Amino acid sequence: MSRTPSADGKRAEALAADYLQVRGLRLMERNYSCRLGEIDLILADGPVLVFVEVRLRRAPGYGGAAESITAAKRLRILMAARHYLAGKPERPCRFDVVLLDELAAERIEWIRNAFGE
């Protein structure tokens, strides 16, 4: 179930990590993977642990980056986050999404608490 990001995927994740760090978040881990799923970036926003999904979509025929995050994908991210948190001290968490339609920092869309109610 684990995947290795493509060269463009790696660049998109690096762009997203840089973007979020400039905005005060602290990078904790990249490409956390377990048998349940994978999380692109894990950062700290003060006391809050932030699990980030990075999506790059340049082919509009397949829908935009936001449309590529299906319910099944969200579930895999949630399960991987639970796995990551197992045995760690309890702390507040949120799930953010960084969307890119091209590899350019000025084209980043950051959605905080993307999976929240």
Side-chain angles (χ1 to χ4, degrees):
M1 173 118 340
S2 167
R3 66 170 176 77
T4 302
S6 67
D8 280 350
K10 287 179 184 178
R11 286 195 294 272
E13 288 172 5
L15 262 175
D18 291 346
Y19 179 90
L20 296 171
Q21 288 175 93
V22 164
R23 283 149 183 82
L25 282 72
R26 183 171 47 90
L27 183 63
M28 310 219 12
E29 194 155 347
R30 290 179 191 251
N31 301 112
Y32 176 80
S33 184
C34 67
R35 65 181 180 79
L36 302 170
E38 188 253 344
I39 300 168
D40 295 328
L41 302 170
I42 302 173
L43 300 101
D45 187 2
V48 179
L49 197 59
V50 183
F51 299 98
V52 179
E53 175 69 8
V54 179
R55 302 304 285 187
L56 171 66
R57 270 287 171 94
R58 292 196 275 195
Y62 295 103
E67 288 83 16
S68 71
I69 303 172
T70 63
K73 177 65 175 173
R74 283 192 304 272
L75 180 60
R76 286 192 304 273
I77 294 167
L78 290 167
M79 291 188 310
R82 285 188 185 126
H83 186 271
Y84 178 82
L85 293 167
K88 291 183 172 53
E90 193 171 313
R91 65 192 288 185
C93 299
R94 76 170 191 253
F95 295 85
D96 291 2
V97 174
V98 172
L99 305 172
L100 297 99
D101 288 322
E102 61 183 65
L103 288 170
E106 63 275 4
R107 299 281 303 187
I108 287 177
E109 180 182 356
W110 177 20
I111 302 172
R112 295 180 197 220
N113 200 28
F115 300 174
E117 271 85 79

